[in-house]
């Protein structure tokens, strides 16, 4: 109530003193920022409060402080998100720990010339009064009485003003009592106390993004410092590489306090925002001269490119959107290459060529159509489907056809060598408009037609040989099946290679003859033909087994189409099962 009255009356110094004395942090900051305009004092007060209190108050006053003190406020944001720049303890303890505020008499109070333990207490005024009363006890009783009466008169208003004076006095007495003990702690006590300190989770930097809306330069500094301090990630503009430094991981006792998913989201948000800021500042209009503006733009684009090349955790889709919006061609190409979107790269340069032809403007450097061919040579080996796309592009306008006639011939040669498209497909592509003439591909067409004719002739000769062989086999089968037709053997050599054929001899219907001694006792089949017949029988059994597996056949048809059906007919899978016992040996 007193603070509010002083504030309404315009006594800001008094209100600030009372708010600070009674640790009314919200009232102190509200008076300093909204009424008195002491932004620097408010910022220092926030730093003394500690990370937790500063985090809540900066949510309210962060934008105002950034407007008035951008450098100092940005550093405070960095310290809060990285956990540096703060001293543990209460606000009064931090003031007492300041060496500039320690009285000179405090240094002589301790033993051995060192600082007295009283200088580290939270309430020096009470301890000083107690020590003064102790010194007065050695004087005369009248002086002691006068000192006691004066002390009571001074304490009356403070008792009415500060109801907690008894608690502070008891705290001071307890501190004095503890100070009278030995200064050396038991062995290992300090170390165990350090291990018992809980791990403080660092706040998310995403909570402060909204304050930097009008301060992109300071926003970049904030994000870069946070990424370096928390994750050891930075963009080194001098060496042209993105480096990762080793960051000390939390102890095993602190691991339960960490949140890996939230930390991953923070990393992604930081680098996504940095990419957007780099590209935005590179295209942002400014009042500086053109040379300096070009240097800044080049530096920002180089940083963005280094981030895109690195292994930092950023969203590729978000980066694609930003690069497309800011017309950052190098970033777009890099992201498309990383995502293996090679067709999008070619279509990007094709659209550039079409836009250039529509605007009738000259181009400095390489033509977009040359970039299309360059990336086709780079990715075409592993992506054959790009060649039909480029073939349609080069034959889309007379200008492109005239400019890249040699490249078009090379593309047709590659399509022919790799069998990427059939000749009819190439003709359909070239004939869809009146750009490409027959004379352009006359030699290619004549060569392909000649090759097709030679293939047809070879296939016809092969078919004739199969037909003659089939007719001969059928004639042999007919003769063997007719018992009235005699079989004459004119063999004079043993098929086993054992010299001229002599009696007793064994003749098989396959026109192979052997000495009786060259065959086994119970061997009733020609040894030479038995192996071939066994292979044929095994193939038939396999084909019959495969014919029952309809899912495999259907999958083969879906993948290979008509060729799978033709292969099935060739192997006899579609035929009716034969009875092998009735076939001749």
């Amino acid at each position: 109530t007193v603070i509010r009255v002083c504030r309404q009356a315009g006594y800001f110094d008094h209100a600030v003193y009372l708010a600070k004395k009674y640790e009314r942090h919200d009232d102190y900051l509200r008076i300093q920022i909204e009424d008195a305009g002491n932004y620097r004092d408010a910022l220092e007060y926030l730093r003394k409060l500690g990370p937790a209190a500063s985090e809540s108050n900066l949510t309210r006053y962060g934008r105002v402080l950034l407007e008035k003190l951008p450098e100092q406020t940005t550093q405070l944001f960095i310290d809060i998100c990285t956990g540096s720049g703060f001293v543990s303890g209460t606000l009064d303890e931090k003031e007492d720990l300041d060496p500039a505020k320690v009285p000179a008499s405090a240094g002589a109070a301790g033993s051995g010339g060192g600082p007295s333990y009283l200088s580290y207490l939270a309430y020096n005024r009470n301890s000083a009064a107690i020590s003064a009363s102790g010194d007065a006890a050695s004087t005369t009783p009248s002086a002691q009485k006068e000192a006691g009466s004066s002390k009571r008169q001074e304490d009356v208003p403070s008792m009415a003003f500060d109801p907690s004076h008894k608690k502070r006095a008891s705290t001071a007495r307890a501190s004095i009592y503890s100070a009278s003990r030995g200064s050396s702690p038991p062995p290992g006590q300090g170390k165990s106390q350090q291990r018992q300190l809980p791990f403080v989770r660092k706040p998310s930097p995403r909570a402060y993004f909204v304050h930097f809306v009008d301060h992109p330069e300071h926003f970049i500094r904030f994000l870069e410092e946070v990424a370096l301090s928390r994750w050891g990630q930075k963009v080194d503009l001098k060496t042209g590489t993105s480096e990762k430094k080793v960051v000390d991981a939390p102890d095993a006792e602190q691991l339960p306090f960490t949140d890996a998913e939230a930390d991953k989201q923070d990393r992604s948000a930081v680098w996504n925002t940095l990419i957007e800021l780099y590209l935005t500042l590179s295209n942002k209009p400014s009042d500086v001269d053109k040379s300096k503006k070009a240097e800044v733009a080049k530096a920002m684009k180089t940083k963005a490119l280094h981030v895109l090349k690195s292994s930092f955790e950023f969203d590729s889709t978000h980066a694609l959107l930003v690069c497309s919006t800011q017309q950052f061609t190098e970033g777009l190409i890099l992201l498309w290459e990383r995502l293996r979107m090679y067709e999008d790269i070619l279509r990007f340069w094709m659209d550039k060529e079409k836009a250039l032809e529509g605007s009738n403007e000259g181009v400095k450097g390489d033509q977009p159509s040359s970039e299309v061919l360059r990336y086709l040579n780079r990715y075409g080996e592993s992506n054959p489907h790009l060649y039909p796309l480029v073939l349609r592009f080069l034959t889309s306008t007379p200008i492109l056809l005239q400019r890249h006639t040699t490249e078009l011939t090379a593309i047709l040669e590659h399509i022919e060598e790799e069998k990427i498209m059939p000749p009819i497909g190439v003709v359909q592509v070239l004939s869809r408009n009146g750009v490409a003439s027959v004379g352009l591909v006359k030699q290619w067409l004549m060569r392909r037609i000649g090759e097709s004719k030679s293939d047809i002739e070879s296939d016809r000769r092969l078919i004739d040989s199969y037909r003659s062989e089939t007719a001969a086999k059928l004639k042999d089968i007919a003769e063997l099946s007719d018992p009235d037709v005699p079989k004459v053997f004119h063999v004079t050599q043993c098929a086993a290679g054992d010299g001229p054929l002599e009696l007793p001899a064994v003749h098989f219907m396959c026109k192979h003859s052997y000495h009786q001694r060259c065959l086994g006792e119970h061997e009733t089949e020609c040894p030479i033909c038995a192996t071939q017949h066994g292979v044929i029988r095994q193939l038939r059994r396999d084909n019959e087994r495969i014919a029952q597996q309809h899912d495999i056949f259907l999958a083969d048809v879906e993948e290979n189409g008509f060729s799978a059906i033709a292969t099935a007919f060739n192997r006899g899978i579609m035929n009716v099962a034969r009875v092998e016992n009735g076939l001749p040996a």
Side-chain angles (χ1 to χ4, degrees):
T1 304
V2 176
I3 297 175
R4 185 168 60 252
V5 170
C6 292
R7 182 187 179 191
Q8 292 175 354
Y11 294 98
F12 299 135
D13 294 339
H14 298 76
V16 165
Y17 169 77
L18 292 174
K20 184 176 182 180
K21 182 176 181 180
Y22 292 101
E23 298 183 357
R24 300 289 296 271
H25 308 312
D26 296 340
D27 294 334
Y28 181 89
L29 294 172
R30 189 179 297 111
I31 296 169
Q32 290 284 46
I33 296 175
E34 298 179 2
D35 300 330
N38 296 327
Y39 304 104
R40 194 175 300 276
D41 293 342
L43 202 62
E44 293 298 328
Y45 189 83
L46 278 172
R47 186 174 290 279
K48 293 177 181 178
L49 287 180
S54 299
E55 180 181 358
S56 59
N57 286 283
L58 278 176
T59 304
R60 181 184 303 175
Y61 302 111
R63 185 171 298 184
V64 179
L65 292 174
L66 268 174
E67 184 70 26
K68 303 299 180 181
L69 300 171
E71 294 293 337
Q72 296 86 339
T73 308
T74 303
Q75 187 60 45
L76 182 59
F77 278 123
I78 293 172
D79 294 340
I80 290 175
C81 293
T82 58
S84 61
F86 292 95
V87 182
S88 60
T90 62
L91 188 63
D92 293 333
E93 291 174 352
K94 294 169 188 173
E95 292 179 352
D96 294 334
L97 284 173
D98 191 353
K101 298 181 180 181
V102 178
S105 60
S111 60
S116 173
Y117 279 98
L118 301 181
S119 63
Y120 296 101
L121 294 177
Y123 306 99
N124 291 331
R125 292 186 298 274
N126 294 334
S127 61
I130 294 174
S131 61
S133 63
D135 295 337
S138 60
T139 59
T140 58
S142 60
Q144 182 178 2
K145 183 176 181 181
E146 291 176 0
S149 61
S150 63
K151 182 177 182 300
R152 284 192 301 272
Q153 291 176 1
E154 293 177 356
D155 286 342
V156 169
S158 86
M159 289 171 61
F161 195 74
D162 188 2
S164 61
H165 70 284
K166 294 182 180 181
K167 181 177 180 181
R168 295 188 178 183
S170 61
T171 305
R173 286 193 296 271
S175 301
I176 296 173
Y177 175 74
S178 62
S180 63
R181 300 177 183 175
S183 60
S184 301
Q189 182 178 357
K191 186 175 181 180
S192 62
Q193 290 178 355
Q194 290 179 358
R195 274 201 306 267
Q196 292 176 358
L197 291 176
F199 173 76
V200 180
R201 181 182 298 175
K202 298 176 183 178
S204 173
R206 290 177 289 169
Y208 305 108
F209 284 7
V210 66
H211 301 303
F212 292 93
V213 172
D214 299 326
H215 305 273
E217 292 83 1
H218 298 90
F219 199 8
I220 290 177
R221 178 195 165 198
F222 166 72
L223 294 176
E224 288 179 344
E225 291 291 336
V226 169
L228 178 61
S229 300
R230 291 183 62 164
W231 309 302
Q233 299 174 345
K234 72 172 183 178
V235 180
D236 195 342
L237 192 59
K238 295 181 180 179
T239 59
T241 57
S242 298
E243 299 179 355
K244 269 192 174 184
K245 293 186 177 179
V246 179
V247 180
D248 294 336
D251 298 335
E253 302 170 353
Q254 299 171 349
L255 286 177
F257 296 91
T258 60
D259 190 350
E261 187 64 26
D263 187 71
K264 182 178 180 181
Q265 293 177 0
D266 289 341
R267 294 190 189 190
S268 180
V270 166
W271 288 114
N272 288 341
T273 310
L274 273 175
I275 293 172
E276 186 172 356
L277 287 172
Y278 289 151
L279 298 180
T280 303
L281 288 182
S282 65
N283 298 325
K284 182 180 179 182
S286 58
D287 299 333
V288 299
D289 56 347
K290 293 184 178 180
S291 60
K292 187 175 181 180
K293 179 182 177 181
E295 292 179 1
V296 173
K298 183 179 179 181
M300 292 294 103
K301 288 184 178 180
T302 304
K303 282 189 174 183
L305 196 61
H306 291 338
V307 175
L308 295 177
K309 289 180 180 179
S310 67
S311 58
F312 297 159
E313 297 176 349
F314 60 88
D315 188 1
S316 299
T317 304
H318 180 270
L320 271 175
L321 180 62
V322 173
C323 292
S324 178
T325 304
Q326 300 296 332
Q327 298 180 356
F328 186 41
T329 303
E330 295 180 1
L332 278 173
I333 299 300
L334 180 63
L335 289 171
W336 278 329
E337 287 179 344
R338 175 176 290 185
L339 297 175
R340 300 182 181 276
M341 301 169 64
Y342 306 123
E343 185 174 345
D344 292 275
I345 298 176
L346 297 183
R347 292 189 181 277
F348 171 77
W349 291 112
M350 292 176 185
D351 295 338
K352 281 248 180 184
E353 179 65 29
K354 293 179 181 178
L356 180 63
E357 292 178 359
S359 61
N360 295 324
E361 296 180 358
V363 178
K364 296 181 180 180
D366 296 336
Q367 296 282 344
S369 57
S370 301
E371 295 294 327
V372 172
L373 295 173
R374 185 167 68 89
Y375 284 103
L376 176 65
N377 294 331
R378 181 183 298 181
Y379 308 122
E381 294 295 333
S382 58
N383 299 273
H385 67 279
L386 299 179
Y387 281 92
L389 179 64
V390 177
L391 184 63
R392 294 187 187 94
F393 169 69
L394 294 180
T395 57
S396 60
T397 61
I399 298 176
L400 288 173
L401 184 60
Q402 183 180 1
R403 187 189 304 163
H404 301 287
T405 304
T406 306
E407 290 81 357
L408 179 61
T409 306
I411 290 175
L412 291 174
E413 295 291 340
H414 185 80
I415 291 175
E416 179 184 358
E417 294 175 359
E418 300 296 332
K419 308 296 182 183
I420 298 175
M421 296 176 64
I424 186 63
V426 175
V427 172
Q428 288 176 353
V429 170
L430 298 179
S431 62
R432 78 187 192 282
N433 51 28
V435 176
S437 61
V438 179
L440 180 65
V441 292
K442 179 180 179 181
Q443 299 297 330
W444 182 82
L445 285 176
M446 291 179 62
R447 186 169 56 253
R448 291 306 305 268
I449 292 174
E451 292 177 358
S452 299
K453 284 184 176 180
S454 62
D455 292 340
I456 292 173
E457 291 296 331
S458 63
D459 291 339
R460 283 179 178 176
R461 288 193 296 268
L462 190 60
I463 291 172
D464 292 340
S465 65
Y466 286 158
R467 285 178 177 175
S468 60
E469 185 179 354
T470 303
K473 296 292 183 183
L474 291 176
K475 183 179 179 181
D476 293 340
I477 292 174
E479 292 178 356
L480 294 174
S481 302
D482 191 358
D484 297 332
V485 178
K487 186 66 175 175
V488 181
F489 297 94
H490 300 286
V491 181
T492 59
Q493 295 289 332
C494 178
D498 193 12
L501 190 63
E502 298 176 354
L503 296 177
V506 179
H507 302 279
F508 290 95
M509 301 303 290
C510 60
K511 298 181 180 181
H512 290 148
S513 300
Y514 300 88
H515 293 119
Q516 188 177 7
R517 63 177 180 272
C518 296
L519 297 176
E521 295 182 359
H522 303 285
E523 192 168 359
T524 60
E525 190 176 0
C526 176
I528 297 176
C529 299
T531 305
Q532 299 177 359
H533 294 166
V535 173
I536 294 174
R537 292 191 185 96
Q538 184 64 34
L539 288 175
R540 287 180 178 177
R541 285 193 292 268
D542 293 341
N543 291 335
E544 291 176 0
R545 186 179 67 255
I546 294 175
Q548 303 299 325
Q549 299 175 355
H550 305 291
D551 52 347
I552 298 178
F553 174 71
L554 293 176
D556 192 12
V557 171
E558 290 180 359
E559 182 178 356
N560 300 316
F562 182 76
S563 62
I565 299 176
T567 304
F569 274 109
N570 184 29
R571 294 178 178 178
I573 297 178
M574 299 290 189
N575 300 339
V576 181
R578 301 178 181 180
V579 181
E580 295 184 356
N581 297 331
L583 293 178

